[in-house]
Amino acid sequence: MSDQNITGGRELDAFLQQFSVKFERNVLRGALRQGANVIKDEAKANLAASGSVVSGELARGLKVSTRSKGGSVYASLKAKGKHAHIANWIEFGVKPHGVKKGAKRASGKLQNGTLHPGFGDQPFMRPALDGKSAEAIAAVTTYIRKRLTAEGINAPAPGGE
């Protein structure tokens, strides 16, 4: 997780408590989606910059989802689709390994298969979170203020601005 200090969090929570649970949940889900989309865009840019993009399927497969459970709202960014399984390999790298069915390492020798040389890590998700977390928080704040203003509510500025 990326650590960020958010000022006015308690005040925002107290302010949102005056609304219906459904309205609060919908506003927060939309806000978290906006913040997660900032991270998603940076992750896509990181993939392209690292040279990991061949077909573009992995970048297109990055999806943001939100959910609400037990009074808490969550947003997640996941790799889905045809090349989702590759995301973990690119993020963390791959050690050398056999590639043929039944390939085993026994006493230091590869048996029944050829050796894949592996490759180093080319992280794209974690740097996106670390580099854009402040911008994501700003997107969340902007979305909440816009939604409340659209409802005719003068939302307090963060940090007493």
Side-chain angles (χ1 to χ4, degrees):
M1 287 235 133
S2 179
D3 293 333
Q4 288 289 323
N5 292 327
I6 303 172
T7 59
R10 276 188 232 128
E11 292 84 358
L12 175 63
D13 186 46
F15 182 73
L16 290 173
Q17 292 302 321
Q18 65 184 329
F19 303 109
S20 72
V21 173
K22 182 178 179 182
F23 177 76
E24 179 184 354
R25 183 176 55 238
N26 288 340
V27 168
L28 291 177
R29 284 181 73 171
L32 289 178
R33 180 175 298 281
Q34 291 298 310
N37 279 329
V38 170
I39 306 298
K40 179 178 85 169
D41 293 342
E42 182 67 10
K44 285 182 176 184
N46 289 348
L47 270 173
S50 72
S52 299
V53 175
V54 177
S55 68
E57 287 290 326
L58 178 57
R60 280 191 296 279
L62 293 178
K63 303 292 182 191
V64 171
S65 63
T66 61
R67 67 184 177 98
S68 173
K69 184 177 180 182
S72 296
V73 181
Y74 305 92
S76 61
L77 172 60
K78 295 180 181 177
K80 300 204 174 212
K82 185 176 178 181
H83 290 174
H85 64 285
I86 298 172
N88 205 34
W89 299 343
I90 293 172
E91 185 79 14
F92 299 108
V94 176
K95 290 183 178 181
H97 60 280
V99 293
K100 189 173 180 183
K101 183 176 180 179
K104 296 179 183 177
R105 285 188 174 269
S107 54
K109 295 182 180 177
L110 184 67
Q111 298 175 347
N112 299 331
T114 58
L115 180 68
H116 183 285
F119 54 86
D121 59 340
Q122 299 171 344
F124 63 98
M125 292 280 257
R126 183 59 196 219
L129 176 62
D130 290 343
K132 293 291 185 171
S133 58
E135 191 176 319
I137 291 170
V140 167
T141 304
T142 301
Y143 181 85
I144 291 173
R145 289 183 57 100
K146 185 172 24 168
R147 278 292 301 270
L148 294 177
T149 303
E151 294 292 321
I153 302 164
N154 186 16
E161 292 175 7

